[in-house]
Each structure stands twice: as structure tokens, then as C-alpha cells.
Amino acid sequence: MAHYAMLIDAARCTGCAACRVACQMQWQLPPEVFFNRLEFRESGKYPDVKQEIVPVQCMHCDNPPCATVCPTKATYKRADGLVLIDHDKCIGCKYCVVACPYDVRQMNDRGIPEKCRFCAGFIEKGEQPPCVSTCMNDVRVFGDLDDPNSEISKKMKEKPVYQLAAEKGTKPRVFYVKRGG
Amino acid sequence: MPKFERWMALPGALVLAGLAGAVNKLVYGEHALGTTAAVPWGSLIAGYVFFAAAATGAGLIGAFAHYSNRQALAPIEKPSLFLALSLLLAGFGLIGIELGNPLNLVYIVFSPNLHSGIWWMGFLYSIYMGLLMVECYFSQVDPANKNLKFVSAVAVVNKIAAVCNLGAIFALIATRPFWHGFYFPLYILLTAILSGAAALAAAMWLSARRQGREADGAVMAALGRIMLAALVVTALANAGKVFFGLTGADPALREATAALVSGPLALRFWALEIGLGLLVPLALLAKAADGQRVFRAAVMVLIGVFFMRLDFVMAGQMVPQAVVEGVQHVLMHGYTPTWTEWALTGGAVGAAALLFAFSETVFDLGTGATAARGKAGGAAAARV
Ligand code: SF4
Ligand code: SF4
């Protein structure tokens, strides 16, 4: 069984937001709804200032608080690592939105909190999520961590990685390459 | 059959406003609300907590009256059941409209997640509603019935579990330090009793006025004493919450508490929650309480507790979460209820008032307002 994950090398990101637009096209989202976003971190003091860009999206947590709190199991964790939402079961209580530590849920017009789906339905056919394939700088690598020969497995071995807000115990499946690592 | 009485124009107008709000929410969905992805829970959730907790508190005080055999509290036994049911139905109405897809609630039964506080909330409050209906029924057919005693005993356990779980919905969310921990389930139980006593006092006073008589002094004084005791403990609990919040180790907890006492929520917190809802009623009730004074205190407490619920729901969400270390887009997330939310909340208040008045007229609550007794209302009131 595949176990999908994503590796993000934020140091390569130019902030062009093509990933966000590609995702919006893929899922036909209105302009104000987006499943991935860019966080801009500024540090240092003039004239020695730095800006880093960190892409953020649903982390497809292995211990997802959004699924733990969902009263109807509308949000659920699949065996292959994907955290998905069954629209038919969602009552629109927004408990998952409140419980997500990454602020990635977005309400759609039907009152269902949406988020990145790791392109379920496409990746099983061997396709890459458009946020990955659109990126001109190969910031994102998506693949199966259970396959030692996958690109993501190899890259994860090459460089030290970290997860966002790992101290919250959510065990994210989106990893970030450590800067200077 | 209940007839239109002049005073009903006000709650009736509130219900009409609420219906307009409901239509707007149905048509425009989330866009009709002031909530955002950053502050997903707004005044409708706070309103639901307010009504559900007050319903539980009223029920608990009714059970206390039932088991303690205190003469002064005997007249509230039946009204407490019908009032609790009216408040609960108003709360359910609010949450039903707040939910994006209420029809999918069937999956609460067919696909239950027993780890979810909201699942338990649905379960425990549905049972509460069922038990209340059974209690209301028994209260009418045979007040001395042993069945009523048994159902009431089960209902007490259910009420405490339901209201503590209502607090646990918030308290179990580890990512929101202002809510997280054992404090809120106990605090909501305490303030449920406060708001339940206030709702009962307001209902008993208004019921008497409706019949053109003075409210029973002993009942009002007893409810005043319950409110006074609950207010003192609530004041201490608030002081503790603020102290431990401001000195806590977690910066998000400190920021949320600061938002409440000296930030964007401060005016509402000090003026409405503490001033109007706590200190003025304390001062009013500390003196020998006549019915009118208890009623005034009760109304202030109800307004104060509503804002207490709103502030609590807000403070937990206003501090931005630390997703990427060193990045904070805004100091605080904002939220302003829309007219739709105010109209729905007002509509729920009006609906609860009309439902109680309706039940008073149709059933025998011992308040003297039963239609069947007609002009004998005054005599029945004298019995009370
Ligand atoms: S990032 Fe948020 S929405 Fe995604 S799985 Fe984790 S808790 Fe759920
Ligand atoms: S809004 Fe839907 S997906 Fe989220 S917790 Fe509620 S039922 Fe589950």
C-alpha cells in the first residue's frame, strides 16, 4: 500500500503562486478559495534583511485533529495517508476548522470546509498534483514514502527535514527541507 | 387555545426578524455570517451554548426543587421543565440554522465518531430533550407518579453530563489554549445554573405580570439566593481564569486572556459581562430581594451570560495560530456578527418566550396561566 507524502524545499520558492492557481484550476475553485498558500517570513534588520517563503497546505496529518473531532466521520484518514472529506456526511459544524492547527480549511459555498486533497483520484493514476508539476523550481516533490525508490524517498534521505508545528503532535505528512541542511 | 396578548408583539417581532435571518442564511449560506475561516465559530454557536446551558441549568434547579422538598421552590417544578424545553428548542433552532448541512445529521446515527465532543453533544442533548418531554408528560398526567421521580433522577445525570460535555467540546481542542483544559466544563456547569436560575426568575415574574398579579415573593427570593450564590462563585472563577490566563506559560493563552481584559473584547467583557452581568446583579441581590429586583437582576444576568458565551467563543479563536514560526499576519483575528446573526439570536429569545407562554396556556404548570382555568387564573395563582 502506498503511503503518500510531500516534501517542500521552501528555499527554492520564488513566490510566484503558480501552485495556488494550478490547484484552483484543478478543482475549479472560486478566486477567494485556495487550498495552498504562501507564508512570507521576514527576518533581520535593515540593511541585512531576509525574506523566506514557506508554502503551506493541509498536512494530511497522521494524527489529524480534524478527523478526531468530526462527529460523523465526514473527515477521515485513508490507509494511503490522505485525509479526505466525504461531502455527503458533512453537517457543516466547522469543528474541523477550529481544531486544525494549520488554518488550512476553507468554507465552500455548500457550507463544507474544504482543503487540499493531495489530488485524490488523480495520483492513483500515476499523475502528479498540479501544484507539483506546475512549479518551475521543483519546490515540491510528491510521492510514495513506502517505495524506497520513489523520488521523495530518495530526497528525504539526502537532506534533513522538519515538519511545521510538530510539537502539536499531529504528525504531518508534508515535510520541509531544512535550510542549510 | 392560546390567544394573542399585547405583550406577545415583542417576542413575535423578534421571531419574525429571526425568520428573515433564517431565510438570509439559507439563501446566502456562510456569506450571511460574520464568521471567517480564521474565526469559524461566531455568535450562533455562542447563542446555542447560551440556550443549551440555560436549559440545563433550569432543569437542574427544577430537579433540586423536586428533591429538596423546599416549599419556596415547589412552584417552579413544573415551569422549570417547560422552560427548559422551550430554551432547548430555541437553541436547537439556532444550531440547526448555523449548520451548513443539517440534513446530513442522519450520519450522526449511521456514521458516529465517539471521539467527537459534538457527537456526544448531539447524543446527550437529544436524550435531554426526550427526557424533558417525558417529564413534561408525567407532570401533567400524574404529578405524584413514581415514574416522574425515576425519569427525573436519570435526567439529572444526563443534564450534568450534557452540560459538562458542552464545555468539553471546547476544552478538548488542544490547539486552542484559551479553551483547553478542565476549567471550562466546570465553569459552564456553574454558569448554566446561574443562567438557568435567571431564566426561571424572569419567566416566573413575567408569567405573574401576564396575569396582572405580583410574582410569588418566596419563589423569587429563593431564585435570587441561587443566583447570588452562583454569581459569587462565578466572580471567583472569573478572577481565577484571568489570573492564571495572564500568568500562564503559553503565550497564546496569555494573548487570548489579554484580548479579553485589555484588548478588542475588553469593553464588552468589563461593561456587559462583568459590570452588567455580574456586579450590578450582585449589588441588587445582596440587599433583601423583592420580586422586581430579582427580575431586574435576572435580565441583567441573562444579558451578561450571553456576552460571556460570546466572549469565550471569540477569545479562543482570536489569537492567530503559530503555523510558521516567526510569521504572524495579524495581531488578532476579528469578528463582527451580521444582522442575520443578531436577528437569529433575537428570534431564538422570542421563540423561547412564546413557547413557554404557549405551554403555560395549554398545560397546567401551576402558574395560573392555563387557558382552561380562564378567569380562575388569579385563584390558581393564589394557590401558588
Ligand atoms: S493539516 Fe489540518 S486539515 Fe489537514 S489533516 Fe492536519 S488537522 Fe486536518
Ligand atoms: S464541518 Fe464537516 S468535516 Fe468538519 S467536523 Fe463538521 S462534519 Fe466533520
Side-chain angles (χ1 to χ4, degrees):
Chain A
M1 164 67 80
H3 212 170
Y4 295 109
M6 186 178 280
L7 177 66
I8 295 178
D9 190 349
R12 303 170 73 101
C13 178
T14 58
C16 71
C19 49
R20 169 174 157 163
V21 176
C23 173
Q24 287 175 310
M25 294 296 114
Q26 167 91 331
W27 296 106
Q28 295 293 298
L29 305 178
E32 70 280 6
V33 177
F34 45 91
F35 293 165
N36 57 33
R37 64 178 193 262
L38 300 176
E39 298 273 6
F40 294 81
R41 174 165 52 196
E42 287 161 16
S43 56
K45 272 200 183 138
Y46 176 83
D48 195 13
V49 287
K50 235 177 28 188
Q51 187 187 55
E52 298 163 57
I53 305 161
V54 185
V56 177
Q57 59 171 72
C58 171
M59 303 285 150
H60 293 269
C61 309
D62 272 345
N63 183 22
C66 60
T68 308
V69 300
C70 177
T72 56
K73 295 185 184 159
T75 292
Y76 62 101
K77 175 95 183 155
R78 242 168 47 170
D80 61 3
L82 274 60
V83 174
L84 297 177
I85 307 155
D86 181 340
H87 288 200
D88 289 340
K89 287 186 182 172
C90 175
I91 59 172
C93 66
K94 298 184 265 184
Y95 205 1
C96 52
V97 190
V98 176
C100 170
Y102 300 98
D103 283 341
V104 298
R105 294 265 182 164
Q106 304 254 315
M107 297 304 290
N108 75 7
D109 274 345
R110 290 175 48 221
I112 294 167
E114 284 272 21
K115 61 171 198 66
C116 158
R117 306 161 181 175
F118 259 2
C119 285
F122 294 92
I123 53 171
E124 291 90 336
K125 295 184 213 149
E127 289 177 31
Q128 286 284 303
C131 61
V132 174
S133 52
T134 305
C135 180
M136 61 181 172
N137 288 335
D138 289 338
V139 168
R140 297 161 190 260
V141 181
F142 178 84
D144 177 8
L145 275 185
D146 273 359
D147 174 2
N149 296 319
S150 66
E151 190 187 353
I152 187 169
S153 293
K154 289 181 189 156
K155 286 227 157 112
M156 293 269 288
K157 279 185 207 125
E158 278 168 21
K159 291 182 176 172
V161 299
Y162 71 100
Q163 296 147 306
L164 289 183
E167 72 284 357
K168 301 204 164 148
T170 49
K171 300 191 182 152
R173 294 200 67 76
V174 173
F175 298 87
Y176 291 81
V177 174
K178 270 194 184 153
R179 281 181 186 247
Chain B
M1 231 1 239
K3 288 201 192 86
F4 180 79
E5 296 167 34
R6 262 214 321 241
W7 68 272
M8 290 177 180
L10 178 63
L14 287 173
V15 169
L16 285 180
L19 287 176
V23 170
N24 202 42
K25 168 72 170 69
L26 281 178
V27 174
Y28 294 105
E30 287 292 311
H31 300 296
L33 308 181
T35 50
T36 57
V39 182
W41 282 352
S43 67
L44 297 184
I45 294 289
Y48 170 71
V49 174
F50 170 80
F51 281 103
T56 323
L60 281 170
I61 294 167
F64 176 67
H66 194 63
Y67 286 103
S68 69
N69 283 330
R70 276 172 204 256
Q71 245 358 74
L73 283 176
I76 66 152
E77 282 183 36
K78 287 190 203 174
S80 70
L81 297 174
F82 286 88
L83 180 65
L85 191 55
S86 308
L87 291 167
L88 195 58
L89 287 172
F92 277 163
L94 263 191
I95 196 84
I97 293 164
E98 149 76 21
L99 292 181
N101 314 287
L103 295 181
N104 293 351
L105 276 167
V106 292
Y107 289 102
I108 288 249
V109 180
F110 292 116
S111 176
N113 179 9
L114 302 188
H115 297 289
S116 166
I118 288 192
W119 187 85
W120 282 101
M121 192 267 290
F123 176 73
L124 290 166
Y125 271 106
S126 302
I127 290 189
Y128 184 32
M129 192 168 74
L131 287 174
L132 271 175
M133 286 176 170
V134 174
E135 284 184 281
C136 287
Y137 171 75
F138 282 137
S139 79
Q140 295 304 297
V141 294
D142 183 6
N145 196 319
K146 276 206 185 101
N147 293 333
L148 181 59
K149 277 222 175 277
F150 174 71
V151 178
S152 303
V154 177
V156 168
V157 179
N158 165 252
K159 281 168 208 163
I160 294 175
V163 79
C164 289
N165 174 73
L166 189 59
I169 288 177
F170 299 89
L172 287 173
I173 303 183
T175 48
R176 309 279 177 171
F178 186 77
W179 293 340
H180 189 50
F182 66 89
Y183 174 87
F184 195 58
L186 297 176
Y187 183 74
I188 196 169
L189 175 61
L190 163 70
T191 52
I193 291 169
L194 174 63
S195 56
L200 268 169
M204 295 304 280
W205 194 84
L206 288 171
S207 162
R209 296 307 296 236
R210 187 182 164 198
Q211 300 162 61
R213 62 176 172 86
E214 284 301 313
D216 184 322
V219 172
M220 294 304 284
L223 289 170
R225 279 196 297 279
I226 296 175
M227 271 162 47
L228 182 62
L231 279 168
V232 171
V233 187
T234 304
L236 293 173
N238 275 342
K241 172 88 185 156
V242 169
F243 175 77
F244 290 112
L246 289 176
T247 56
D250 192 324
L253 171 63
R254 292 199 301 272
E255 276 178 54
T257 315
L260 194 62
V261 296
S262 56
L265 300 173
L267 184 64
R268 219 160 57 194
F269 175 72
W270 291 111
L272 297 177
E273 194 179 324
I274 301 297
L276 184 79
L278 228 148
L279 297 178
V280 180
L282 263 178
L284 279 175
L285 294 169
K287 295 187 191 155
D290 64 70
Q292 173 117 358
R293 194 178 293 149
V294 173
F295 169 70
R296 285 191 186 145
V299 173
M300 290 182 204
V301 163
L302 288 173
I303 296 171
V305 173
F306 173 77
F307 284 102
M308 173 199 286
R309 305 286 182 237
L310 185 58
D311 290 344
F312 176 80
V313 170
M314 284 310 110
Q317 302 171 84
M318 287 178 75
V319 178
Q321 307 207 78
V323 178
V324 179
E325 216 184 312
V327 177
Q328 190 174 347
H329 301 289
V330 288
L331 281 177
M332 290 274 166
H333 293 303
Y335 161 76
T336 311
T338 58
W339 75 263
T340 304
E341 286 160 294
W342 285 121
L344 284 166
T345 309
V349 173
L354 289 180
L355 277 172
F356 181 71
F358 174 80
S359 57
E360 239 194 335
T361 313
V362 173
F363 304 107
D364 175 17
L365 274 57
T367 53
T370 313
R373 294 177 178 218
K375 295 185 186 83
R383 188 179 60 81
V384 173

